[in-house]
Amino acid sequence: MNVSEGRGMAEFTQTARVLSVTDLTPNVRQLILLPTTQKLAFQPGQWVSLKLPVGSTPPLNRAYSMAVPASPSGELTLVFDRVPDGLGSRYLSQIRAGDELLLSGPYGNFVLPQPPDRELLFIAQYTGLVPIRCMLKAMYAHRETVPVLVIAVGPAEDELLYHQELLSLALMRPSFRYLPLVASGEESAVALTVSMLSQLVNDRSKVIPMLCGTKRFVRPLRGYFVETGYDRKDVKTETYD
Ligand SMILES: Cc1cc2nc3c(=O)[nH]c(=O)nc-3n(C[C@H](O)[C@H](O)[C@H](O)COP(=O)(O)OP(=O)(O)OC[C@H]3O[C@@H](n4cnc5c(N)ncnc54)[C@H](O)[C@@H]3O)c2cc1C
């Protein structure tokens, strides 16, 4: 396909070589990829589409958010959790350094508001933290920013992603707050998050909510913000399913 046609560069599919495979938690793995044809210019929060050679009608397209901002090396850091019986994540689980993957992108508009002018409230369900971690890396590579609160819900204590990193950030940056929560199942994850929110954002001064996770997590939480007086469009969301 001529990359200048249609929706343009973003549709261009290329091979990427897997440089490394690292476990971040017992159930979450990081892949570092290097696209072989051209570097991707992307904003923190964006994702790529992997075209996986599995399923009844391959390729199986699966989206993965970049966990690290764009760098001169062109490397892409992707992070995924192993979904029980998940076709895509099962395929990715057997990928090794030296293997190749097909991808296109970048895509997506779950990105930092420019400029953020109020406190940012990130709420992540498990690997929903990945694009948020990328935004945090970009923000804290620079000067002090607006206050940030990250609420991260994981399925178990040892499945809290980037836990040490976020604890350290909270120690180093007075305006950064980190609230890790453990809940299994979307319903209890939502309930626990809401119970925390009612204490944390009850002062009527508006924050910028940015939510990422599955629909059953993100939708009720967006509903919570709308009920407390936010415009729907002011609640930024990314859903993974
Ligand atoms: C814009 C976008 C960005 C994404 N970024 C990431 C990312 O950075 N890391 C990542 O792990 N996944 C990400 N995903 C989800 C990813 O594309 C796949 O959906 C996920 O890996 C499951 O695919 P599967 O084929 O293994 O499972 P499927 O057979 O498609 O089963 C999906 C089911 O597994 C459950 N599930 C458990 N964990 C996840 C999860 N992480 N995402 C979706 N469903 C899940 C849900 O209940 C869902 O119904 C993203 C999705 C979108 C749309």
Side-chain angles (χ1 to χ4, degrees), residues 111-162:
V111 295
L112 285 169
Q114 285 305 336
D117 53 356
R118 276 162 295 153
E119 174 165 0
L120 286 162
L121 170 54
F122 295 109
I123 305 180
Q125 174 195 23
Y126 203 18
T127 45
L129 193 54
V130 173
I132 291 166
R133 192 266 189 159
C134 193
M135 294 183 221
L136 294 173
K137 281 239 163 215
M139 289 175 68
Y140 289 109
H142 303 292
R143 67 216 174 297
E144 199 65 41
T145 84
V146 292
V148 173
L149 169 59
V150 171
I151 300 179
V153 194
E157 231 168 279
D158 62 357
E159 289 293 335
L160 289 169
L161 217 48
Y162 302 116

Coordinates of all heavy atoms in Angstrom, one line a residue, residues 111-162:
V111 N -4.4 10.8 25.2 CA -3.1 11.5 25.4 C -3.3 12.6 26.4 O -4.4 13.0 26.7 CB -2.5 12.0 24.1 CG1 -2.2 10.8 23.1 CG2 -3.5 13.0 23.4
L112 N -2.2 13.1 26.8 CA -2.2 14.2 27.8 C -2.9 15.5 27.2 O -2.6 15.8 26.1 CB -0.8 14.6 28.2 CG -0.1 13.7 29.2 CD1 1.4 14.0 29.3 CD2 -0.8 13.7 30.6
P113 N -3.8 16.1 28.0 CA -4.3 17.4 27.5 C -3.1 18.4 27.4 O -2.2 18.4 28.2 CB -5.3 17.8 28.5 CG -5.0 17.0 29.7 CD -4.3 15.8 29.3
Q114 N -3.1 19.3 26.4 CA -2.0 20.2 26.2 C -2.5 21.6 26.4 O -3.3 22.1 25.6 CB -1.4 20.0 24.8 CG -0.5 18.8 24.7 CD 0.6 18.7 25.7 OE1 1.0 19.7 26.3 NE2 1.1 17.5 26.0
P115 N -2.0 22.4 27.3 CA -1.2 21.9 28.5 C -2.2 21.4 29.6 O -3.3 22.0 29.6 CB -0.4 23.1 28.9 CG -1.3 24.3 28.6 CD -2.2 23.8 27.4
P116 N -1.8 20.5 30.4 CA -2.7 20.1 31.5 C -2.8 21.4 32.4 O -1.7 21.9 32.8 CB -2.0 19.0 32.2 CG -0.8 18.6 31.3 CD -0.5 19.8 30.4
D117 N -4.0 21.8 32.7 CA -4.1 23.1 33.5 C -4.7 22.8 34.9 O -5.0 23.7 35.7 CB -4.9 24.1 32.8 CG -6.2 23.6 32.3 OD1 -6.5 22.4 32.5 OD2 -7.0 24.4 31.7
R118 N -5.1 21.5 35.1 CA -5.6 21.2 36.5 C -5.0 19.9 36.9 O -4.3 19.2 36.1 CB -7.1 21.0 36.3 CG -8.0 22.2 36.4 CD -9.3 22.0 35.9 NE -9.3 21.7 34.4 CZ -10.2 20.9 33.8 NH1 -11.2 20.4 34.4 NH2 -10.0 20.7 32.5
E119 N -5.3 19.5 38.1 CA -4.8 18.2 38.6 C -5.2 17.1 37.7 O -6.4 17.0 37.3 CB -5.3 17.9 40.0 CG -4.9 16.5 40.5 CD -5.0 16.3 42.0 OE1 -5.4 17.3 42.7 OE2 -4.7 15.2 42.5
L120 N -4.3 16.2 37.4 CA -4.6 15.0 36.6 C -4.9 13.8 37.5 O -4.2 13.6 38.4 CB -3.4 14.6 35.7 CG -3.2 15.5 34.5 CD1 -1.8 15.3 34.0 CD2 -4.2 15.2 33.4
L121 N -6.1 13.2 37.2 CA -6.4 12.0 38.0 C -6.5 10.8 37.1 O -7.4 10.7 36.3 CB -7.8 12.2 38.7 CG -8.4 11.0 39.4 CD1 -7.5 10.4 40.4 CD2 -9.7 11.4 40.0
F122 N -5.4 10.0 37.2 CA -5.4 8.8 36.4 C -6.0 7.6 37.2 O -5.6 7.4 38.3 CB -3.9 8.4 36.0 CG -3.2 9.4 35.2 CD1 -2.2 10.3 35.7 CD2 -3.6 9.5 33.8 CE1 -1.6 11.2 34.8 CE2 -2.9 10.4 33.0 CZ -1.9 11.2 33.5
I123 N -6.8 6.9 36.6 CA -7.4 5.7 37.2 C -7.2 4.5 36.3 O -7.7 4.5 35.1 CB -8.8 5.8 37.6 CG1 -9.1 7.1 38.4 CG2 -9.3 4.6 38.3 CD1 -10.5 7.3 38.8
A124 N -6.4 3.5 36.7 CA -6.0 2.4 35.8 C -6.4 1.1 36.4 O -6.3 0.8 37.6 CB -4.5 2.4 35.6
Q125 N -6.9 0.2 35.6 CA -7.2 -1.2 35.9 C -6.1 -2.0 35.4 O -5.9 -2.2 34.1 CB -8.5 -1.6 35.4 CG -8.9 -3.1 35.6 CD -10.0 -3.5 34.7 OE1 -10.3 -2.9 33.6 NE2 -10.7 -4.6 35.1
Y126 N -5.2 -2.5 36.3 CA -4.2 -3.5 35.9 C -3.3 -3.0 34.7 O -2.7 -1.9 34.9 CB -4.9 -4.8 35.5 CG -4.0 -6.1 35.6 CD1 -2.8 -6.1 36.3 CD2 -4.4 -7.2 35.0 CE1 -2.0 -7.3 36.4 CE2 -3.7 -8.4 35.0 CZ -2.5 -8.4 35.7 OH -1.7 -9.6 35.8
T127 N -3.3 -3.6 33.6 CA -2.4 -3.1 32.5 C -2.9 -1.9 31.8 O -2.3 -1.3 31.0 CB -2.2 -4.2 31.4 OG1 -3.5 -4.8 31.1 CG2 -1.3 -5.3 31.8
G128 N -4.1 -1.4 32.3 CA -4.5 0.0 31.9 C -3.6 1.0 32.4 O -3.6 2.2 32.0
L129 N -2.6 0.6 33.2 CA -1.6 1.6 33.7 C -0.5 1.8 32.7 O 0.2 2.8 32.8 CB -1.0 1.0 35.0 CG -0.1 1.9 35.8 CD1 -0.8 3.1 36.3 CD2 0.4 1.1 37.1
V130 N -0.5 1.0 31.7 CA 0.6 1.1 30.7 C 0.7 2.5 30.0 O 1.7 3.1 30.0 CB 0.6 -0.1 29.7 CG1 1.6 0.1 28.6 CG2 0.8 -1.4 30.4
P131 N -0.4 2.9 29.3 CA -0.3 4.2 28.7 C -0.1 5.4 29.7 O 0.5 6.4 29.3 CB -1.7 4.3 27.9 CG -2.6 3.4 28.7 CD -1.7 2.3 29.2
I132 N -0.7 5.2 30.9 CA -0.5 6.2 31.9 C 0.9 6.3 32.4 O 1.5 7.4 32.5 CB -1.5 5.9 33.1 CG1 -2.9 6.1 32.6 CG2 -1.2 6.7 34.3 CD1 -4.0 5.5 33.5
R133 N 1.6 5.2 32.5 CA 3.0 5.2 32.9 C 3.8 5.9 31.8 O 4.8 6.6 32.1 CB 3.4 3.7 33.0 CG 4.8 3.5 33.7 CD 5.9 3.4 32.7 NE 7.1 3.0 33.4 CZ 8.1 2.4 32.8 NH1 8.1 2.2 31.5 NH2 9.2 2.1 33.4
C134 N 3.4 5.7 30.6 CA 4.1 6.4 29.5 C 4.0 7.9 29.6 O 4.9 8.7 29.5 CB 3.6 5.9 28.2 SG 4.6 6.3 26.7
M135 N 2.8 8.3 29.9 CA 2.5 9.8 30.1 C 3.3 10.3 31.3 O 3.9 11.4 31.2 CB 1.0 10.0 30.3 CG 0.2 9.7 29.1 SD -1.6 10.1 29.4 CE -2.4 8.8 28.7
L136 N 3.3 9.6 32.4 CA 4.0 10.0 33.6 C 5.5 10.1 33.3 O 6.2 11.1 33.7 CB 3.8 9.0 34.7 CG 2.4 8.9 35.3 CD1 2.4 7.7 36.3 CD2 2.0 10.2 35.9
K137 N 6.1 9.2 32.5 CA 7.5 9.2 32.2 C 7.8 10.5 31.4 O 8.8 11.2 31.6 CB 7.9 8.0 31.3 CG 8.1 6.8 32.1 CD 9.5 6.3 31.8 CE 9.9 5.3 32.8 NZ 11.3 5.3 33.2
A138 N 6.9 10.8 30.5 CA 7.1 12.1 29.7 C 6.9 13.3 30.5 O 7.8 14.2 30.4 CB 6.0 12.1 28.5
M139 N 5.9 13.3 31.4 CA 5.7 14.5 32.3 C 6.9 14.7 33.2 O 7.4 15.9 33.3 CB 4.5 14.3 33.1 CG 3.2 14.4 32.3 SD 1.8 14.0 33.4 CE 1.8 15.4 34.5
Y140 N 7.4 13.7 33.8 CA 8.4 13.9 34.9 C 9.8 13.9 34.3 O 10.8 14.1 35.0 CB 8.2 12.8 36.0 CG 7.0 13.1 36.8 CD1 5.9 12.3 36.7 CD2 6.9 14.2 37.6 CE1 4.7 12.6 37.4 CE2 5.8 14.5 38.3 CZ 4.7 13.7 38.2 OH 3.5 14.0 38.9
A141 N 9.9 13.7 33.0 CA 11.2 13.9 32.3 C 11.5 15.4 32.3 O 12.6 15.9 32.1 CB 11.2 13.4 30.9
H142 N 10.4 16.2 32.5 CA 10.6 17.7 32.4 C 10.4 18.3 33.8 O 10.5 17.6 34.8 CB 9.6 18.2 31.4 CG 9.7 17.6 30.1 ND1 10.8 17.9 29.3 CD2 8.9 16.8 29.4 CE1 10.7 17.2 28.1 NE2 9.5 16.5 28.2
R143 N 10.1 19.5 33.8 CA 10.0 20.2 35.1 C 8.8 19.7 35.9 O 8.1 18.9 35.5 CB 9.8 21.7 34.8 CG 8.4 22.0 34.1 CD 8.5 23.1 33.0 NE 7.3 23.1 32.3 CZ 6.7 22.2 31.6 NH1 7.3 21.0 31.5 NH2 5.6 22.4 30.9
E144 N 8.6 20.3 37.0 CA 7.5 20.0 37.9 C 6.2 20.3 37.1 O 6.1 21.2 36.3 CB 7.5 20.9 39.1 CG 6.7 20.4 40.3 CD 7.1 19.1 40.9 OE1 8.3 18.8 41.0 OE2 6.2 18.3 41.2
T145 N 5.2 19.5 37.3 CA 4.0 19.6 36.5 C 2.8 19.9 37.4 O 3.0 20.1 38.6 CB 3.7 18.4 35.6 OG1 3.0 17.5 36.5 CG2 4.9 17.7 35.2
V146 N 1.6 19.9 36.8 CA 0.4 20.0 37.7 C 0.4 18.8 38.6 O 1.1 17.7 38.4 CB -0.9 19.9 36.8 CG1 -1.0 21.1 35.9 CG2 -0.9 18.6 35.9
P147 N -0.4 18.9 39.7 CA -0.5 17.7 40.6 C -1.1 16.5 39.9 O -1.9 16.7 39.0 CB -1.4 18.2 41.7 CG -1.4 19.7 41.7 CD -1.1 20.1 40.2
V148 N -0.6 15.4 40.3 CA -1.1 14.1 39.7 C -1.5 13.1 40.8 O -0.7 13.0 41.8 CB 0.0 13.5 38.8 CG1 -0.4 12.1 38.3 CG2 0.4 14.4 37.7
L149 N -2.6 12.5 40.6 CA -3.0 11.4 41.5 C -3.2 10.1 40.6 O -3.9 10.2 39.6 CB -4.3 11.7 42.3 CG -4.9 10.5 43.0 CD1 -4.0 9.9 44.0 CD2 -6.2 11.0 43.7
V150 N -2.5 9.1 40.9 CA -2.7 7.8 40.2 C -3.4 6.8 41.1 O -2.9 6.5 42.2 CB -1.4 7.2 39.7 CG1 -1.5 5.8 39.1 CG2 -0.7 8.1 38.7
I151 N -4.5 6.3 40.7 CA -5.2 5.2 41.4 C -5.0 4.0 40.5 O -5.4 4.0 39.3 CB -6.6 5.5 41.7 CG1 -6.8 6.7 42.5 CG2 -7.3 4.2 42.3 CD1 -8.3 7.1 42.8
A152 N -4.3 3.0 41.0 CA -4.0 1.8 40.2 C -4.6 0.6 40.9 O -4.2 0.3 42.0 CB -2.5 1.6 40.0
V153 N -5.5 -0.1 40.2 CA -6.1 -1.3 40.8 C -5.5 -2.5 40.1 O -5.6 -2.7 38.9 CB -7.6 -1.3 40.6 CG1 -8.3 -2.4 41.5 CG2 -8.2 0.0 40.8
G154 N -5.0 -3.4 40.9 CA -4.4 -4.7 40.4 C -5.2 -5.9 41.0 O -5.8 -5.7 42.0
P155 N -5.1 -7.0 40.4 CA -5.8 -8.2 40.8 C -5.2 -8.9 42.1 O -5.8 -9.7 42.7 CB -5.8 -9.1 39.6 CG -4.5 -8.7 38.9 CD -4.3 -7.3 39.1
A156 N -3.9 -8.5 42.4 CA -3.2 -9.1 43.5 C -2.1 -8.2 43.9 O -1.7 -7.4 43.0 CB -2.7 -10.5 43.2
E157 N -1.6 -8.3 45.1 CA -0.5 -7.4 45.5 C 0.7 -7.5 44.6 O 1.3 -6.5 44.2 CB -0.1 -7.7 47.0 CG -0.1 -6.4 47.8 CD -0.1 -6.7 49.3 OE1 -1.1 -7.0 49.9 OE2 1.1 -6.6 49.8
D158 N 1.1 -8.8 44.3 CA 2.3 -8.9 43.4 C 2.0 -8.7 41.9 O 2.8 -8.9 41.1 CB 2.9 -10.3 43.6 CG 2.0 -11.5 43.2 OD1 0.8 -11.2 42.8 OD2 2.4 -12.6 43.3
E159 N 0.8 -8.3 41.6 CA 0.4 -7.9 40.2 C 0.3 -6.4 40.1 O -0.3 -5.9 39.1 CB -0.9 -8.6 39.8 CG -0.7 -10.1 39.6 CD 0.2 -10.5 38.4 OE1 0.4 -9.7 37.5 OE2 0.8 -11.5 38.5
L160 N 0.7 -5.6 41.1 CA 0.6 -4.2 40.9 C 1.8 -3.7 40.0 O 2.9 -3.9 40.4 CB 0.7 -3.5 42.3 CG -0.6 -3.7 43.2 CD1 -0.3 -3.2 44.6 CD2 -1.7 -2.9 42.6
L161 N 1.4 -3.2 38.9 CA 2.4 -2.9 37.9 C 3.2 -1.6 38.2 O 2.6 -0.7 38.7 CB 1.6 -2.7 36.6 CG 2.2 -3.1 35.3 CD1 2.7 -4.5 35.3 CD2 1.1 -3.0 34.2
Y162 N 4.5 -1.6 38.0 CA 5.3 -0.4 38.3 C 5.2 0.1 39.7 O 5.3 1.3 40.0 CB 4.9 0.7 37.3 CG 5.1 0.3 35.8 CD1 4.0 0.3 35.0 CD2 6.3 0.0 35.3 CE1 4.1 -0.1 33.7 CE2 6.4 -0.4 34.0 CZ 5.3 -0.5 33.2 OH 5.5 -0.8 31.9

